[in-house]
């Protein structure tokens, strides 16, 4: 698609893009902890990734107004906490500050983490933030108070009530598996035939393609000439399979390695309506999300020429 933007806008966009890449590289060491925090806050790897992206976008946009935060990690966690609380505030914010449970042990089994995340999901927003900041990520009550604009006493009270809530929380069940929509299976089959026309025929005319954290495309024609073409030609995607995860079918792209093993190189979520794919969200550039899904599938993750787990 031809870029018809004025030359000065093109130059500005290029400069911003280069600065964003530099920013992403600078905060890369902090991203795994931020992703785990956002995943536990939201209770979903997908919503957690969205919260990570929104946090990084706001942090990047604020660079011109903020003098180097003394604690970049706390700064990012503060932004994520406020975004999440604000999103829930209209109908879910608790009427008053509350007060948590055992430390979230990084040595827990996958089942233990899942159970803990389900329990944490039962907490009101502010309790959940306080619990995760202090118990899972080891911020002090004072640091958490500064991040959330609360008093230290209110943080300790929220921690206490969160512990009480978790101690009495009933177990919850995970969503059950449903039949895979026919169009999702056709999408995977078309990829495995390397059939670009067949793949794009499954897309709605106004399909939205989101390469999460990188770019967006609108419409079947744009997708066909760009992201779908790159997907078909991607040497790191030897085959595609359908994997049911978290109550929805995903398209996983597998890389065949030289030793005969396989690794997950890309994850795509498909929104289907009336037999057509209306939205694609691909997590090609989201290493933590890629790792989480690959682990659930039982394979290592592989990202763009570098192994990420």
């Amino acid at each position: 698609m031809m870029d018809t933007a004025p030359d000065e806008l093109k130059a500005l966009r290029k400069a911003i893009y280069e600065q964003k890449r530099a920013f992403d590289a600078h905060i890369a060491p902090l991203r795994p902890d931020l992703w785990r925090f956002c995943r536990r806050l939201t209770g979903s790897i997908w919503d957690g990734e969205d919260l990570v992206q929104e946090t990084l976008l706001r942090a990047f946009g604020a660079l011109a107004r903020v003098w180097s935060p003394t604690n970049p990690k706390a700064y990012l966690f503060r932004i994520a906490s406020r975004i999440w609380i604000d999103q829930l505030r209209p109908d879910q914010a608790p009427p008053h500050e509350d007060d948590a449970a055992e430390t979230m042990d990084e040595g827990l089994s996958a089942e233990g983490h899942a159970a803990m995340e389900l329990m944490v999901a039962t907490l009101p927003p502010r309790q959940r933030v306080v619990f995760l900041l202090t118990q899972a990520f080891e911020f002090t009550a004072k640091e958490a108070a500064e991040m959330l604009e609360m008093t230290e006493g209110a943080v300790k009270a929220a921690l206490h009530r969160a512990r009480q809530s978790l101690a009495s929380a009933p177990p919850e069940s995970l969503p059950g598996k449903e039949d895979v929509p026919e169009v999702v299976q056709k999408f995977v089959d078309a990829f495995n035939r390397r059939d670009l026309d067949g793949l794009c025929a499954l897309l709605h005319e106004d399909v939205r393609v989101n390469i999460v954290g990188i770019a967006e495309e609108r419409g079947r024609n744009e997708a066909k000439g760009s992201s779908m073409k790159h997907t078909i030609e991607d040497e790191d995607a030897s085959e595609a399979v359908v994997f049911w995860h978290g109550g929805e079918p995903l398209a996983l792209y597998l890389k065949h390695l030289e030793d005969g093993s396989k690794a997950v190189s890309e994850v795509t979520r498909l929104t289907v309506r009336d037999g057509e794919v209306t939205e694609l969200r691909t997590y090609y550039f989201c290493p933590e999300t890629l790792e989480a899904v690959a682990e659930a599938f039982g394979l290592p993750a592989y990202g763009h020429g570098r192994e990420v787990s």
Side-chain angles (χ1 to χ4, degrees):
M1 181 174 290
M2 183 176 297
D3 189 346
T4 59
D7 289 343
E8 59 270 21
L9 184 58
K10 292 179 184 178
L12 179 61
R13 185 166 57 200
K14 180 180 179 180
I16 293 174
Y17 175 74
E18 291 173 350
Q19 289 299 316
K20 181 62 166 56
R21 290 188 63 184
F23 172 79
D24 289 344
H26 181 72
I27 58 86
L30 303 176
R31 183 179 161 124
D33 275 350
L34 177 65
W35 184 87
R36 284 192 291 270
F37 177 62
C38 292
R39 177 186 179 181
R40 287 171 176 168
L41 265 186
T42 63
S44 159
I45 61 173
W46 315 120
D47 294 340
E49 183 66 50
D50 287 346
L51 183 54
V52 167
Q53 296 297 331
E54 179 66 18
T55 298
L56 297 181
L57 187 61
R58 291 199 189 184
F60 177 70
L63 284 179
R65 307 190 304 273
V66 176
W67 295 96
S68 300
T70 55
N71 187 336
K73 180 177 177 178
Y75 179 65
L76 291 174
F77 276 47
R78 180 175 67 198
I79 293 174
S81 298
R82 291 179 177 176
I83 291 173
W84 189 73
I85 290 173
D86 286 345
Q87 287 175 343
L88 297 183
R89 182 166 289 154
D91 57 1
Q92 297 185 42
H96 53 265
E97 268 42 278
D98 290 338
D99 187 357
E102 308 299 326
T103 298
M104 295 180 81
D105 183 1
E106 289 299 329
L108 284 175
S109 65
E111 293 79 8
H113 276 300
M116 179 61 76
E117 288 168 3
L118 284 172
M119 284 194 297
V120 171
T122 68
L123 296 175
R126 227 172 257 278
Q127 284 185 35
R128 194 187 309 188
V129 173
V130 167
F131 178 78
L132 290 174
L133 287 175
T134 59
Q135 303 301 288
F137 294 92
E138 300 182 343
F139 287 102
T140 66
K142 181 179 179 180
E143 290 170 331
E146 292 174 350
M147 294 161 67
L148 300 174
E149 296 184 340
M150 297 168 61
T151 66
E152 190 172 348
V155 166
K156 291 179 178 178
L159 189 55
H160 174 68
R161 290 196 178 162
R163 284 195 177 107
Q164 291 181 324
S165 298
L166 289 176
S168 60
E172 298 186 31
S173 59
L174 294 172
K177 183 174 180 178
E178 302 172 5
D179 292 333
V180 174
E182 183 180 7
V183 67
V184 176
Q185 187 62 57
K186 287 183 176 180
F187 184 91
V188 165
D189 292 342
F191 172 84
N192 288 330
R193 296 193 306 270
R194 294 302 193 272
D195 180 0
L196 179 60
D197 289 335
L199 195 68
C200 292
L202 302 170
L203 307 181
H204 187 275
E205 182 180 4
D206 297 320
V207 66
R208 178 182 177 185
V209 180
N210 187 342
I211 300 94
V212 177
I214 300 296
E216 291 188 6
E217 298 169 348
R218 176 72 73 173
R220 183 191 300 137
N221 291 337
E222 183 176 356
K224 182 176 182 178
S226 185
S227 61
M228 292 298 97
K229 182 174 184 292
H230 288 305
T231 297
I232 287 288
E233 297 173 350
D234 185 5
E235 295 181 355
D236 286 340
S238 307
E239 66 171 311
V241 298
V242 178
F243 175 51
W244 197 277
H245 179 67
E248 64 177 308
L250 309 175
L252 298 193
Y253 300 87
L254 308 182
K255 167 77 171 178
H256 294 179
L257 305 177
E258 292 182 359
D259 63 2
S261 63
K262 299 179 182 180
V264 179
S265 64
E266 185 175 349
V267 176
T268 296
R269 299 171 70 196
L270 302 90
T271 300
V272 177
R273 187 173 295 115
D274 297 329
E276 291 184 307
V277 178
T278 58
E279 182 176 10
L280 288 167
R281 293 179 65 84
T282 181
Y283 296 83
Y284 193 91
F285 297 101
C286 304
E288 295 82 15
T289 294
L290 187 64
E291 287 182 42
V293 176
E295 181 180 6
F297 187 64
L299 289 179
Y302 184 95
H304 335 313
R306 72 185 194 287
E307 296 217 27
V308 295
S309 70

